[in-house]
Amino acid sequence: MGKSQTNSELLKTLSGMDRAYASGSKTWFDHFDDNATVYTNSSAEPIIGRSNYINNFAKLLASTKRKVQIISRKVQAVGNVFIVYQVEQVTQDGVVVTMKQSQVSGETQKGLKINHMHSSVLGTPQATSTISKLGSINVINEKIATIATAVGVAQ
């Protein structure tokens, strides 16, 4: 078991997670435990294991940068377990999505790792610009479909 984290170390870890996700870095997946359970809107069944999460989402999450704004974040520590509940707004490829997310992280030999995450979309994804011509509708729909898949919205 790794050493217990202080609040400043926890905030530093969360900041690193935020940077990895926003930059579209493959290091985002390094924040997950090997046996992590990830729930998304795209499936009634969870994704079990870090390697399965990578197989399902690496192409979408580690291929492009996105703007992430944390709207609210609450963190509760219970011993060496940290529970994070957050609402964030993600802008990627001209589409804005507001998500709520809960994460349960624990101390491991490799440091603090997410072992449970549940993400869901609040409301409807929106285009960031006005559609100026009819042909743009297909482009926007394709972008929304891509983003919706990345955050786990059923198609």
Side-chain angles (χ1 to χ4, degrees):
M1 188 62 82
K3 68 177 185 137
S4 180
Q5 289 207 342
T6 65
N7 282 342
S8 63
E9 290 170 327
L10 175 61
L11 293 176
K12 184 177 177 183
T13 299
L14 289 172
S15 179
M17 289 178 185
D18 294 342
R19 279 192 310 277
Y21 181 71
S23 68
S25 172
K26 291 181 181 181
T27 62
W28 162 249
F29 298 104
D30 295 342
H31 294 283
F32 288 81
D33 186 60
D34 290 340
N35 298 313
T37 301
V38 179
Y39 288 89
T40 68
N41 286 354
S42 62
S43 174
E45 298 295 320
I47 298 168
I48 306 292
R50 180 177 167 272
S51 61
N52 287 330
Y53 182 50
I54 292 169
N55 289 339
N56 283 287
F57 288 94
K59 185 175 180 180
L60 294 170
L61 295 179
S63 63
T64 188
K65 293 181 180 182
R66 58 196 58 84
K67 178 183 174 190
V68 179
Q69 178 186 1
I70 304 296
I71 296 170
S72 68
R73 176 180 276 163
K74 295 179 183 177
V75 180
Q76 183 175 0
V78 181
N80 285 339
V81 175
F82 300 93
I83 301 161
V84 177
Y85 174 79
Q86 61 190 15
V87 176
E88 61 187 3
Q89 189 173 68
V90 179
T91 305
Q92 180 179 330
D93 293 331
V95 178
V96 178
V97 177
T98 302
M99 301 187 318
K100 67 178 178 177
Q101 188 175 74
S102 59
Q103 301 172 353
V104 179
S105 300
E107 290 286 343
T108 69
Q109 292 291 337
K110 298 176 183 177
L112 187 67
K113 299 291 181 185
I114 297 171
N115 55 40
H116 178 97
M117 185 174 76
H118 186 153
S119 300
S120 59
V121 173
L122 298 174
T124 303
Q126 301 292 317
T128 58
S129 61
T130 306
I131 297 173
S132 59
K133 55 186 175 179
L134 194 54
S136 298
I137 293 174
N138 286 336
V139 174
I140 295 299
N141 282 337
E142 289 171 11
K143 288 182 180 181
I144 289 174
T146 300
I147 299 304
T149 301
V151 297
V153 176
Q155 296 297 303

